[in-house]
Amino acid sequence: MTAVYIPALIYLAVTMGVMAVILFLSARIGRRRVTREKMLPYECGMDPLGTLEIHFPIKFYVVAMIFIIFDIETVFLYPWAVVFRDLGWFGFVEMLLFTAVILIGLVYLFRKGALEWE
Amino acid sequence: MTEAVTNTGGDWLRLIVGLILVLIFSQLNALFLVWLERKVAGHIQLRYGPMEVGPHGLLQTIVDGIKLVGKELITPFKADKKLFVIAPVLVFMPVLVPFLVLPFGPELIIRDMNVGLLLIFAFSTFSVLAILVGGWASNNKYALLGAIRSVAQNVAYEIPLLLSVMSVVLMVHSFKFSELVMAQQRIWFIFLQPVAAIIYFICATAETNRAPFDIPEAESELVAGFHTEYSGMRFGLFFLAEYTNMFIVCAVATSLFLGGWHGPFGFSLGIPGVVWFLAKTYFLLFVLMWFRWTFPRVRFDQLMNFSWKVLIPLSMLNLLVTALVLKFV
């Protein structure tokens, strides 16, 4: 059964090989001269200011968490979509309830302001 | 070609010939698309674009590619060396796998897997990971900000993308590309699922980080976003992957909504399926480039709100309506 996916692995392997060749060629042909300015982080030509320990908004974490919930929803919906015809009305109502729960969650998120970017 | 050749499990010859063709095609496609992008940009701005190398600058990108190979591979002092080197590999690694299942023509599918569509989505999500790794490892403010934005954007637009595609899957009951395309012999799904088609195309634009959703690499604020620190062929791999991904999303759009290798309303007009397929795909690619010079870049909060507050509820609604209609028909 898993033999079906072997072609995908072969493609991955070949792509890796091609990339190895490209990067090897590039490393060999390209010249290499290390200077301090070149190896500094690029900040429009100036010496970099401060450190990289920047704070990014907590919203990004919230988005990641919400994403997981919705992604799992879609994962559940995909098998349902394929066998939809065989499930009949039972399958339809079940999925309606499932989607309704998720949608209520989405409305709750709106109300809480979890998706507000200021 | 017979059915047996198309669908046998152990047809290694097909696989290897396909692999060679895909390697050649993906490189040519990227070269052509970069040229087309510059030409389209030029003509929309009443310029000519590249004209010097080859007829109408057609060989310009080949020269650029050779130049890129000869460039130095810079690794900044404070970068996380391992991750910095891995990121371009990670971004390019999965881009050829979707070609396994893309239906170029009735007999031109390398391996018609029954999880075809899922395979493409599974591998296309790799690029987000690569962007995060690359941006993080660069030790550059702009690269990090670009990477964070990119991840937030990609995850936000992935959900409506998957949901809009699901309404097509619901109609066909299959992930198999041959069946998805065969179901559109009479009428293309863009006419039956216009909402899903539009949502898909918006999300595909966002997923490939194209304008007006090119916030991860907004050059006026973030230099070049996540690949600011990349040079030479490492940058080249990001670039190649981006253009190959553009082809893949447009090819998926073609086979899901524009009838794949079928002509309009069952008329093939004697033109081979593969020509129809490529014509439609390259038309969509042209539209993507057209977008870039038509719409101004959206702001980040607009971008996120548009996905969570408009696209996701709309695509869920579209899915439920599709299910309901299918129950009554």
Side-chain angles (χ1 to χ4, degrees), chain A residues 34-95:
Chain A
V34 179
T35 62
R36 182 183 163 273
E37 280 73 23
K38 196 191 281 173
M39 295 300 157
L40 284 176
Y42 180 77
E43 275 184 27
C44 313
M46 299 200 300
D47 276 358
L49 294 170
T51 59
L52 192 73
E53 287 156 14
I54 54 166
H55 297 270
F56 50 85
I58 193 89
K59 293 280 177 202
F60 286 106
Y61 289 109
V62 177
V63 167
M65 285 193 293
I66 303 171
F67 164 73
I68 289 173
I69 298 166
F70 280 88
D71 209 35
I72 289 172
E73 185 212 353
T74 53
V75 167
F76 278 127
L77 282 176
Y78 263 101
W80 168 76
V82 178
V83 293
F84 178 66
R85 199 185 292 160
D86 308 326
L87 285 176
W89 280 103
F90 172 73
F92 179 73
V93 173
E94 276 287 291
M95 201 42 72

Side-chain angles (χ1 to χ4, degrees), chain B:
Chain B
M1 224 176 278
T2 56
E3 189 70 14
V5 182
T6 323
N7 287 327
T8 44
D11 196 0
W12 290 97
L13 185 69
R14 190 183 186 84
L15 201 68
I16 291 161
V17 172
L19 183 57
I20 294 164
L21 286 179
V22 162
L23 275 174
I24 297 168
F25 177 78
S26 63
Q27 303 300 312
L28 284 180
N29 168 64
L31 287 176
F32 174 71
L33 280 183
V34 175
W35 173 81
L36 188 70
E37 172 105 58
R38 296 170 70 177
K39 272 296 184 195
V40 169
H43 281 277
I44 285 177
Q45 297 171 337
L46 299 178
R47 298 182 283 116
Y48 283 121
M51 285 297 277
E52 293 299 323
V53 192
H56 283 266
L58 203 55
L59 302 176
Q60 180 71 48
T61 34
I62 296 173
V63 180
D64 286 347
I66 294 167
K67 185 201 74 178
L68 213 52
V69 175
K71 288 283 177 187
E72 180 177 349
L73 293 176
I74 300 172
T75 313
F77 279 145
K78 285 185 180 168
D80 189 324
K81 296 268 170 355
K82 276 183 207 144
L83 291 181
F84 190 79
V85 174
I86 285 172
V89 176
L90 206 57
V91 79
F92 193 72
M93 192 175 68
V95 296
L96 292 190
V97 177
F99 284 94
L100 257 181
V101 290
L102 280 180
F104 285 88
E107 288 100 28
L108 284 170
I109 313 174
I110 297 171
R111 187 62 64 90
D112 195 15
M113 293 188 189
N114 56 1
V115 290
L117 197 56
L118 278 183
L119 189 85
I120 288 187
F121 289 136
F123 278 99
S124 64
T125 44
F126 261 84
S127 63
V128 192
L129 196 64
I131 288 171
L132 182 63
V133 169
W136 183 267
S138 293
N139 189 42
N140 179 311
K141 294 186 194 96
Y142 301 117
L144 180 60
L145 283 173
I148 293 167
R149 285 183 184 186
S150 180
V151 172
Q153 172 184 334
N154 275 284
V155 300
Y157 279 81
E158 195 168 298
I159 297 158
L161 181 104
L162 293 173
L163 286 172
S164 64
V165 165
M166 206 184 306
S167 46
V168 172
V169 173
L170 204 58
M171 293 171 75
V172 185
H173 306 275
S174 178
F175 294 129
K176 215 174 186 170
F177 268 103
S178 58
E179 285 173 25
L180 285 164
V181 176
M182 282 314 285
Q184 303 178 68
Q185 196 156 21
R186 288 270 156 262
I187 184 160
W188 297 354
F189 280 152
I190 192 171
F191 300 114
L192 301 176
Q193 289 283 357
V195 180
I198 292 166
I199 292 174
Y200 175 85
F201 204 61
I202 293 172
C203 294
T205 315
E207 287 285 310
T208 46
N209 297 331
R210 295 282 306 174
F213 304 110
D214 59 344
I215 289 174
E217 41 191 305
E219 56 264 40
S220 49
E221 28 184 312
L222 288 183
V223 190
F226 54 87
H227 55 53
T228 303
E229 292 292 351
Y230 282 93
S231 66
M233 247 357 251
R234 288 195 191 134
F235 164 74
L237 286 177
F238 273 108
F239 213 58
L240 272 178
E242 184 182 327
Y243 280 92
T244 316
N245 276 331
M246 274 167 67
F247 179 85
I248 291 165
V249 294
C250 288
V252 171
T254 303
S255 36
L256 287 182
F257 297 107
L258 294 179
W261 64 74
H262 294 302
F265 304 106
F267 301 110
S268 71
L269 308 172
I271 300 167
V274 61
V275 177
W276 275 116
F277 182 84
L278 287 178
K280 283 184 263 190
T281 305
Y282 279 102
F283 172 73
L284 287 180
L285 283 163
F286 171 71
V287 173
L288 270 186
M289 291 166 187
W290 194 357
F291 274 2
R292 179 165 173 187
W293 303 104
T294 309
F295 300 118
R297 183 179 300 134
V298 293
R299 225 168 51 213
F300 193 71
D301 59 328
Q302 295 169 335
L303 175 95
M304 296 305 279
N305 281 339
F306 185 57
S307 172
W308 290 104
K309 295 188 175 171
V310 180
L311 289 181
I312 291 177
L314 198 63
S315 54
M316 279 174 121
L317 201 66
N318 184 56
L319 184 70
L320 289 179
V321 170
T322 309
L324 200 63
V325 169
L326 281 176
K327 273 290 155 210
F328 283 111
V329 172

